[in-house]
Amino acid sequence: MSTRKHTALPKAQTLIEALPWLTRHHGKKVVIKFGGNAMVDDELKAAFAQDVVFLRHAGIKPVVVHGGGPQISAQLDRHGLVSEFKAGLRVTTPEAMDVVRMVLAGQVQRELVGLLNQHGPLAVGLTGEDAHTITATKHLPEIDGELVDIGRVGEITAIDTGAIEALLEDGRIPVVSSIARSQDDGHVYNVNADTAAAALAAALGAETLMVLTDVEGLYEDWPDSDEVISRLTATELEKLLPELTSGMVPKMQGCLHAVRNGVNTARVIDGRVQHSILLEIFTDEGIGTMVVPDGAEGGTTA
């Protein structure tokens, strides 16, 4: 009997360590941007689904937002359509938009909903088109001082959280594809999933925005150092933005938007680590970079 008690004790201690975090997050909304390696590796996908279901059963209200860059590129290749990028964004012709919509809503989202629903009747998929969840207008990025037309790429103009709130009230896990309805021309738009997740987190009044990525976090002095900044304030992040690599810019801009619009913390975490979401939410160490609003305790500078 004594041996059994002894071997089970670490499990109890682990659960007790999570108690303050469980208490703090209970009943709160958490928006998770699903992307990177976690989207293409089967073991990481399964671990991600377990984490999200765990949050739901722990009394937290997770909302998942996803894009699907690698899957879209692969499908465009199959259709003989060239993937072209300008200003870090995919040039999206009307033909490409049909593929984007098909891949996001018909493939990536379906798979994710299926993985979550292995654990019960929990996940419901929707796109930004549904119930006016995400509305956008045509985005014209500026390249070398000129506005450039990159097709059906949208800039978010409005969020309606009604459908998501109703699903959360019903105990469901909304899984949102980053496609938007048009504000003005009847088209649908491809919107950056990091940006969509941040906009939804702000509109929902989420406690936390979590962005899964393929790096450990925000590096202090990349490429000269791989030291990760574990915590910084909105203003500290804003100063760093011009120095960031193009792939990190929408993620960190999203984090900045979230904490400047009512979200308590925004985190970029390493999606290559199994159960990274649980490690980030329920442990002292955390495993990524956390952004906090100005005036919150503990940025990187005194």
Side-chain angles (χ1 to χ4, degrees), residues 101-155:
R101 200 181 194 185
M102 179 179 72
V103 170
L104 293 184
Q107 180 187 335
V108 180
Q109 182 200 89
R110 292 295 94 209
E111 184 180 18
L112 191 45
V113 166
L115 284 168
L116 291 164
N117 286 344
Q118 286 176 10
H119 304 277
L122 297 168
V124 177
L126 63 156
T127 79
E129 300 166 75
D130 294 317
H132 293 191
T133 299
I134 305 174
T135 300
T137 191
K138 192 180 188 75
H139 175 56
L140 295 168
E142 192 174 307
I143 303 173
D144 300 330
E146 289 191 21
L147 296 179
V148 179
D149 186 344
I150 54 171
R152 301 275 175 83
V153 175
E155 194 165 311

Side-chain angles (χ1 to χ4, degrees), residues 90-282:
R90 184 187 298 276
V91 176
T92 309
T93 62
E95 296 78 18
M97 188 65 224
D98 289 342
V99 173
V100 168
R101 200 181 194 185
M102 179 179 72
V103 170
L104 293 184
Q107 180 187 335
V108 180
Q109 182 200 89
R110 292 295 94 209
E111 184 180 18
L112 191 45
V113 166
L115 284 168
L116 291 164
N117 286 344
Q118 286 176 10
H119 304 277
L122 297 168
V124 177
L126 63 156
T127 79
E129 300 166 75
D130 294 317
H132 293 191
T133 299
I134 305 174
T135 300
T137 191
K138 192 180 188 75
H139 175 56
L140 295 168
E142 192 174 307
I143 303 173
D144 300 330
E146 289 191 21
L147 296 179
V148 179
D149 186 344
I150 54 171
R152 301 275 175 83
V153 175
E155 194 165 311
I156 296 170
T157 55
I159 298 281
D160 185 328
T161 59
I164 291 175
E165 299 269 15
L167 288 167
L168 292 173
E169 282 303 304
D170 196 33
R172 311 294 178 182
I173 301 170
V175 178
V176 187
S177 303
S178 58
I179 304 165
R181 68 184 278 272
S182 168
Q183 178 180 296
D184 41 31
D185 62 11
H187 294 310
V188 292
Y189 282 107
N190 184 12
V191 292
N192 180 285
D194 298 315
T195 311
L200 278 168
L204 284 162
E207 170 74 13
T208 293
L209 167 68
M210 305 182 84
V211 180
L212 267 66
T213 183
D214 282 343
V215 292
E216 292 171 62
L218 193 58
Y219 295 113
E220 199 148 333
D221 192 17
W222 185 260
D224 302 322
S225 155
D226 60 359
E227 195 69 29
V228 171
I229 301 168
S230 60
R231 186 180 172 103
L232 74 171
T233 65
T235 296
E236 288 166 351
L237 172 57
E238 195 167 37
K239 287 176 189 161
L240 287 177
L241 277 177
E243 301 161 26
L244 300 181
T245 57
S246 60
M248 282 302 273
V249 170
K251 292 172 174 38
M252 300 319 300
Q253 279 178 333
C255 289
L256 186 61
H257 174 82
V259 298
R260 287 227 161 121
N261 288 276
V263 179
N264 283 342
T265 63
R267 307 142 189 256
V268 173
I269 61 173
D270 191 344
R272 301 167 301 176
V273 177
Q274 282 203 13
H275 304 298
S276 54
I277 292 168
L278 297 189
L279 289 168
E280 182 65 26
I281 284 197
F282 295 128

